[in-house]
Amino acid sequence: MLRNREFSTILADGSKPHRRSGYRMPQVSLRELQVFLAVCECRAFSRAADRMGVSQPALSRTVRDLETRFDLRFFHRNGRGVELTQAGRVLRQHAETVISSVEDLEIELNELRESASGVVVIVLPTHVSQVVTPKLVRRFAEHYPKASLHVFEDANDRIADRVRDGVADIGLFYAYAPPDTPRQDYVAEEPLFLVELPDEDGNDDDGPITFAQLADRPLVLPRRKSVYRQFLEECADGAEVRLNVVRELEMGSTQMAFVLEREGGSILPFSHCWSEVRSGQAVARQIVGPKITRHITLIRSTFKQAQMVRVAGQILNEELRASNAMFRWQFVAKADQKAG
C-alpha cells in the first residue's frame, strides 16, 4: 500500500524548476496523485470514486483542491465524462513516473526485508507464553520468512538476566516497581485477585474485595523465601493486615491446583486462573483498598539492535493487548513508559 507522502514538483529530467524569490512550490501527496490517475484512466469521476473506494464528492473535492493549489485546470468536464487539459497531460506524465518509482521502491525494500535472516530469541513467563506464542511466531514469519523466532519459557526471576547476559533478545517479566533503567519499557499493570471456589450455595460473587477482608480468608501461598510472597507480605503490612496462610508451597505454579482441592483460596494474577473462572470452577475478586499490582516490564538486549528485534517486540506488545481478556492487565500509554 502506498503511503501518503508529499513530493515537490520536478521536471522531466529530474531537476527542480527555478523558484522565484518568495514562491513556495505546491506540495502533492501520493494519495492525490492516485486519485488524479484514477480519474484519467476511468474518464469519469463516478467510476474513479468506485475504484478508489471513496464517495464521488470526496474524490471531486480532492481534484478541486489539487487544481486550486496549482491554479490550473486539469480536466475539461462534459456530459460524457472528463478530458485532460494540457496541464492535466503534463501532470499525468509526472504522476505516472512518481507512482511507478514508489512502487518499485516498495518492491525492492520488501525484497530486502524478506531476504533478512537470523534468529530472534524471546523469553516469557509460562502463562504468557502459552497464550501469545502461536500468533507471535506466525506473524513474525510473515514479516521475515527467512528468519527464525525462538520463544522460551523461564522463571520470572531469571528472565531479565537472560536478556542482560545476551542469551535472549527480548524478555517480559513481572516487576514489583516501575522500571527505571535503559532498555526497559513499562508495559502494563497487573492487578492481583483473591481466587476461591464458589461457596456451597453456588454463590459466585466476583466483586472487588478489600485487603482488610483477606484477614479471615484461609490462603495457600508460596513460601516466604519467594519474591512474590515477600511482595504480598509487604502489601499486607502496609494495610495492617495479617494474612491467614494455611499452607505454604515450594512451587507457586501449583497454587491454583491447591485451591481446586479445597485447601483454601489464593492470591493470583488473572492469567493463572482465567480458565477455571471461565468454566465456573473458581471465582476471582480483584483486591482493592489498597489495590495491589505487579508491573509488566519488557526488557530488550543491548547486544542486538536489529530491526527484526524491534519488529518482534512490537508484535509481542500487540498480541498481549489482543489477548488481554485472559490477563486483565491495565496497559499504560507510551508517554508513561520509560523507554530505552
Side-chain angles (χ1 to χ4, degrees):
M1 182 66 67
L2 297 176
R3 303 295 188 268
N4 190 22
R5 301 172 191 153
E6 293 186 341
F7 287 81
S8 297
T9 302
I10 57 175
L11 299 179
D13 62 1
S15 64
K16 293 187 177 182
H18 175 71
R19 298 185 180 185
R20 300 187 302 273
S21 177
Y23 175 74
R24 184 175 181 179
M25 187 68 67
Q27 300 291 304
V28 185
S29 72
L30 287 179
R31 178 66 176 177
E32 289 173 320
L33 293 182
Q34 289 174 313
V35 167
F36 170 78
L37 289 176
V39 177
C40 293
E41 294 166 6
C42 295
R43 302 178 66 86
F45 279 71
S46 57
R47 290 195 295 272
D50 290 340
R51 174 186 291 189
M52 297 300 296
V54 299
S55 66
Q56 183 174 335
L59 182 135
S60 298
R61 186 165 53 251
T62 298
V63 173
R64 186 168 58 252
D65 290 346
L66 195 59
E67 291 178 325
T68 300
R69 203 175 312 147
F70 282 92
D71 194 21
L72 289 168
R73 295 291 296 274
F74 297 129
F75 296 103
H76 291 302
R77 281 79 164 173
N78 55 50
R80 298 184 303 276
V82 296
E83 294 181 358
L84 286 169
T85 64
Q86 181 180 359
R89 289 192 291 272
V90 172
L91 178 58
R92 181 174 187 175
Q93 176 186 352
H94 289 289
E96 288 175 342
T97 300
V98 170
I99 296 298
S100 177
S101 295
V102 173
E103 289 175 345
D104 290 344
L105 172 63
E106 289 189 332
I107 291 172
E108 290 184 28
L109 292 179
N110 283 334
E111 288 175 349
L112 286 174
R113 175 174 60 81
E114 291 173 0
S115 66
S117 61
V119 176
V120 175
V121 178
I122 296 180
V123 58
L124 301 172
T126 299
H127 285 83
V128 174
S129 175
Q130 291 172 346
V131 174
V132 304
T133 295
K135 290 183 179 179
L136 178 60
V137 171
R138 175 183 58 78
R139 289 185 59 192
F140 182 83
E142 291 172 355
H143 280 268
Y144 298 104
K146 296 185 179 180
S148 298
L149 177 66
H150 296 171
V151 182
F152 296 96
E153 300 172 359
D154 208 338
N156 185 67
D157 56 358
R158 292 198 293 264
I159 290 176
D161 289 337
R162 298 285 190 238
V163 179
R164 294 189 187 103
D165 294 342
V167 176
D169 302 304
I170 297 172
L172 190 81
F173 66 99
Y174 307 114
Y176 297 95
D180 58 0
T181 58
R183 309 218 62 77
Q184 291 190 16
D185 289 337
Y186 174 21
V187 177
E189 287 186 350
E190 179 182 61
L192 297 181
F193 295 77
L194 172 67
V195 182
E196 299 177 307
L197 299 182
D199 64 28
E200 295 179 355
D201 296 327
N203 296 325
D204 55 355
D205 179 14
D206 60 357
I209 185 170
T210 66
F211 223 113
Q213 292 174 293
L214 296 179
D216 60 353
R217 292 295 213 278
L219 296 175
V220 177
L221 294 176
R223 291 191 181 277
R224 284 183 175 270
K225 65 181 180 181
S226 77
V227 176
Y228 181 63
R229 173 67 181 279
Q230 292 170 15
F231 169 68
L232 294 179
E233 292 291 349
E234 289 176 4
C235 293
D237 291 343
E240 299 182 346
V241 172
R242 182 178 179 84
L243 298 177
N244 179 23
V245 181
V246 297
R247 184 176 294 278
E248 294 184 328
L249 307 175
E250 289 292 342
M251 296 178 61
S253 59
T254 61
Q255 287 171 253
M256 193 64 234
F258 277 85
V259 172
L260 295 176
E261 289 295 324
R262 301 184 180 278
E263 293 276 347
S266 193
I267 300 175
L268 293 166
F270 194 77
S271 60
H272 287 54
C273 63
W274 73 271
S275 61
E276 289 81 6
V277 171
R278 185 178 60 175
S279 66
Q281 294 177 276
V283 178
R285 303 176 65 185
Q286 185 174 343
I287 300 171
V288 298
K291 178 177 71 173
I292 54 175
T293 60
R294 296 193 295 182
H295 300 275
I296 309 302
T297 303
L298 186 145
I299 181 172
R300 291 159 291 147
S301 172
T302 58
F303 295 95
K304 189 187 294 183
Q305 305 300 323
Q307 175 69 10
M308 286 192 299
V309 175
R310 290 191 287 271
V311 170
Q314 179 181 344
I315 296 173
L316 172 60
N317 203 318
E318 291 171 357
E319 288 303 322
L320 291 173
R321 291 174 180 268
S323 305
N324 199 35
M326 303 178 190
F327 301 130
R328 293 195 183 178
W329 292 350
Q330 296 160 0
F331 286 88
V332 299
K334 284 192 174 183
D336 297 327
Q337 295 180 359
K338 289 188 176 293

